[in-house]
Amino acid sequence: MNKRSWAEPFKIKMVEPLRMTTPDEREAAIAGAGFNTFLLRSEDVYIDLLTDSGTSAMSDRQWAGLMLGDEAYAGSVNYYHLEDAVHRYYGYKHLIPTHQGRGAEHILSRMMIKPGDVVPGNMYFTTTRAHQELAGGRFVDIIGDAAHDVTSTEPFKGNVDLKKLQAVIDTYGPSKIPYVNLQCCVNMAGGQPVSMENIAAVGALCHRHGIKVMLDATRAVENAYFIKVREPGYAKKSIEEILREICSHTDGCTNSAKKDSLVNIGGFLCVNDDALAEEARNMVVLFEGLHTYGGLAGRDMEVMAIGIAESVQYDHIRARIGQVEYLGGLLEKAGVPIIRPIGGHGVFLDALKFLPHIPRDQFPAQALAAALYVESGVRTMERGAVSAGRDPDTRQNIFPKLELVRLTIPRRVYTQAHMDVTAESIITLFEEPERVVGLRFTSEPKYLRFFQARFEPTQGDLVLNRSAKAGAASAR
Ligand SMILES: *Cc1c(COP(=O)(O)O)cnc(C)c1O
C-alpha cells in the first residue's frame, strides 16, 4: 500500500510574521467590521482562509520573473510569454489579458449577451451572474440536483444535468442562448468537479444546436486533478493533457489567474472565433487597457506565464488538494457537518446543521464566520443567503439550499500546524454552538452585497458569547 503523504513539494525561503490577537481585540475588530469578515483588516487576522483568490505564494522563479517585466505600452515580451503558456496549456487560439477574472466576464457578457437572453450555467458564480445581468441576460441553473444536496457524495457533483440543459434549449430556443457557461470545480457548490464525460456531452449537445460553450477555467487545473484520480481512463494521463482535453470541448474561456494560476493579480479571456476575438480586442481597450496588457503590468504577465506552467505540475496539485483534504478529514473525524466529497479549494461547513438554533433570516453562515473569527482569529467567509442576494424581480432575499461557511486554502501559504489550529477552533465551537448569535443587516449594498454589507447581532452586542465550559480560557 502506498503510504506516502501529500507533503509539500517546496521548502520555505522567506517568512511573513503573523500577529496573534486576544479575544477582546477580536470582539472589537469584528464589531468594527459590522460582523462581516470582508471588512476586517488583515493585520487583525491570524489564519486567513477568506479566499484562495490572489492569496497564493509565488515561487522563487516567479519572483525572479518579476524582474523581467518589459513595461512597454505595446507588444511587451511578457505578453508573448503569456500567450505561449496559454496556447500550450489551455490550447485556445486567441488570448485577451484582463486585470482579473471579472474583467474577462465583463467583456464576454457585453459582447455576447443581448437583453432578454438566458445564460445556462452549472450553478451561478457571484461576479459571473452579476455581469450577465448587467448585460440584460438572465442566469439559468442547469447543475445536477446532487450539487444542492449536502448528503450526496457523488464524485462529480459539478456535472451539468443534460436534461435541464435540453429543457432550457427547448423552452427558449438557441437564438436566445448566446452561450452556455460551464464552470470547472464549481465554486459555490464547494469546489465540486465536472467529469470529462459530462464536459464532452455538454460540448456535443450545445454544438449540435449551434450554441457556444464558454468555460469558466478558473479552477480547471484542480478539476483536471479530480478527473485523473476519479474518472476511469484518466489515471495515466498528465494534468497537462487532461486540461487541454477539457478546453478542447469548449469555444473559449474566462479565467481568474488569481486561483489555479498562482498569481496575486491577473486573468484572461480566450476565444477560438476570429471575429469574436476582434470584438473582444476592441472592447478591452475601453475597459482594461491595450490588448497586449489588459490592465496588467508586463511583470504580472510574466509571473502568470510561469505560474500556469507550475500549476499543472502533478506534485504541486496533489499537495494542494491533499492539504485541503487533510483539513476536511480532521473535521469529518470530529463529526463537524461539511460538504462531501471535500472539494478542490476549500472545506465548506454546513451552517444549517452546525447552528440549527439560528433561523435562516438571521444568516447562520454569516454569524458562524464572525464567531469563528472571534474564537480563534481564523477568517472565513459566508456562502449562503447573503452571497445569493435578492431576486431581481421580487427583490426578496434568495435562500439557496446551501448555507455554507467557506474555509478556502491559499496555495503554498499555510502549514499543517495551521490546519490543525483551524480544525481545533471549529471543533471547539461545534461543541457549544448555542454560544453563536444570529445577525441582521444594518446596511445592504445594491451589488454583490456580501462584500460590503454590515450587520448587528439580533440579541446583545456579541456574535459569540464567552464559553460557559471554559470561562477561564477566555483570558488566553
Ligand atoms: C474568482 C472567480 C471568478 C472571478 O474572478 P476575479 O479574478 O475574482 O475577478 C469567476 N469565476 C470563478 C469560478 C471564480 O472562482
Side-chain angles (χ1 to χ4, degrees):
M1 204 172 83
N2 181 3
K3 283 207 177 145
R4 281 274 186 85
S5 107
W6 50 271
E8 296 83 352
F10 56 81
K11 58 184 177 176
I12 296 168
K13 181 161 358 201
M14 189 188 285
V15 299
E16 180 180 343
L18 297 171
R19 195 164 79 87
M20 313 291 257
T21 51
T22 64
D24 286 341
E25 286 172 326
R26 295 194 292 272
E27 262 171 17
I30 198 72
F35 299 90
N36 184 348
T37 50
F38 275 101
L39 300 179
L40 288 167
R41 291 174 179 231
S42 93
E43 64 180 0
D44 294 331
V45 172
Y46 174 39
I47 299 173
D48 202 347
L49 308 183
L50 184 74
T51 174
D52 64 334
S53 179
T55 52
S56 298
M58 293 206 296
S59 67
D60 52 358
R61 284 167 184 75
Q62 285 178 294
W63 281 101
L66 280 180
M67 298 305 292
L68 302 177
D70 167 13
E71 306 306 342
Y73 190 89
S76 159
V77 68
N78 313 117
Y79 167 79
Y80 295 101
H81 292 169
L82 178 61
E83 190 181 47
D84 287 346
V86 169
H87 281 163
R88 169 163 175 195
Y89 297 106
Y90 291 84
Y92 298 111
K93 189 164 173 202
H94 300 285
L95 162 75
I96 294 97
T98 56
H99 78 285
Q100 60 185 84
R102 70 198 69 181
E105 292 172 341
H106 175 210
I107 292 171
L108 178 73
S109 302
R110 250 188 200 250
M111 158 168 101
M112 295 189 72
I113 300 172
K114 301 182 300 303
D117 281 352
V118 295
V119 188
N122 50 341
M123 204 171 262
Y124 83 100
F125 184 73
T126 54
T127 57
T128 317
R129 193 185 66 187
H131 279 297
Q132 292 165 355
E133 289 174 355
L134 279 174
R138 175 172 287 267
F139 160 81
V140 186
D141 197 1
I142 52 165
I143 203 166
D145 291 337
H148 296 282
D149 177 1
V150 289
T151 62
S152 162
T153 55
E154 275 184 34
F156 291 103
K157 277 169 87 171
N159 278 357
V160 169
D161 182 330
L162 296 165
K163 286 202 205 77
K164 288 187 192 171
L165 173 56
Q166 184 68 59
V168 176
I169 297 172
D170 294 343
T171 306
Y172 298 95
S175 66
K176 286 273 174 231
I177 304 174
Y179 57 91
V180 167
N181 197 258
L182 179 65
Q183 196 189 142
C184 273
C185 268
V186 181
N187 194 339
M188 305 297 280
Q192 301 296 331
V194 185
S195 70
M196 191 71 85
E197 188 185 4
N198 192 250
I199 294 168
V202 170
L205 175 58
C206 288
H207 294 149
R208 236 182 358 260
H209 290 278
I211 300 169
K212 286 195 161 47
V213 181
M214 301 304 296
L215 185 71
D216 185 334
T218 300
R219 300 171 192 287
V221 179
E222 289 169 0
N223 202 118
Y225 175 80
F226 285 119
I227 288 175
K228 182 177 171 73
V229 298
R230 291 184 187 168
E231 190 162 349
Y234 286 90
K236 293 220 167 69
K237 293 208 169 146
S238 67
I239 300 296
E240 190 178 330
E241 286 170 313
I242 298 171
L243 178 63
R244 290 264 320 215
E245 189 175 330
I246 292 172
C247 298
S248 74
H249 294 293
T250 69
D251 303 284
C253 77
T254 55
N255 184 44
S256 170
K258 301 172 70 172
K259 324 289 173 52
D260 276 354
S261 314
L262 296 166
V263 295
N264 303 122
I265 194 73
F268 55 80
L269 171 66
C270 287
V271 287
N272 288 332
D273 185 278
D274 297 339
L276 270 180
E278 194 175 325
E279 198 177 340
R281 288 190 178 117
N282 283 331
M283 226 174 251
V284 78
V285 184
L286 282 174
F287 297 112
E288 304 278 320
L290 193 67
H291 62 281
T292 56
Y293 76 84
L296 297 166
R299 56 181 174 268
D300 297 331
M301 294 189 284
E302 186 66 27
V303 296
M304 208 196 300
I306 300 168
I308 288 171
E310 290 179 357
S311 75
V312 299
Q313 299 303 312
Y314 174 73
D315 291 338
H316 158 71
I317 195 71
R318 172 170 180 261
R320 188 280 185 284
I321 291 175
Q323 186 179 42
V324 174
E325 286 174 342
Y326 173 77
L327 173 62
L330 294 175
L331 295 174
E332 210 167 21
K333 238 181 277 160
V336 175
I338 62 169
I339 300 287
R340 300 198 51 242
I342 295 159
H345 61 298
V347 178
F348 292 68
L349 306 178
D350 179 352
L352 297 179
K353 285 218 191 85
F354 200 114
L355 301 176
H357 64 291
I358 299 185
R360 289 214 69 179
D361 61 1
Q362 295 181 16
F363 308 113
Q366 188 77 31
L368 183 53
L372 186 58
Y373 169 74
V374 175
E375 173 65 29
S376 60
V378 173
R379 171 155 71 171
T380 58
M381 78 148 97
E382 190 259 15
R383 277 300 184 217
V386 177
S387 294
R390 290 181 183 272
D391 183 289
D393 297 328
T394 67
R395 304 305 305 155
Q396 293 301 306
N397 278 316
I398 298 169
F399 289 108
K401 288 206 183 106
L402 303 180
E403 175 76 16
L404 309 176
V405 169
R406 187 176 90 174
L407 301 130
T408 344
I409 316 298
R411 297 163 183 81
R412 311 193 290 204
V413 171
Y414 290 114
T415 65
Q416 188 160 335
H418 287 122
M419 296 301 108
D420 290 342
V421 169
T422 301
E424 287 157 13
S425 55
I426 292 166
I427 293 164
T428 304
L429 273 188
F430 183 58
E431 286 167 354
E432 294 180 294
E434 57 298 329
R435 290 166 58 209
V436 183
V437 177
L439 296 172
R440 61 176 160 245
F441 276 106
T442 57
S443 95
E444 184 185 342
K446 189 157 168 230
Y447 298 112
L448 301 176
R449 64 182 185 179
F450 60 95
F451 281 129
Q452 289 156 333
R454 300 182 73 87
F455 301 84
E456 65 184 8
T458 51
Q459 309 148 34
D461 308 322
L462 301 178
V463 71
L464 180 67
N465 291 311
R466 294 288 168 103
S467 176
K469 257 202 244 167
S474 63
R476 223 171 359 162

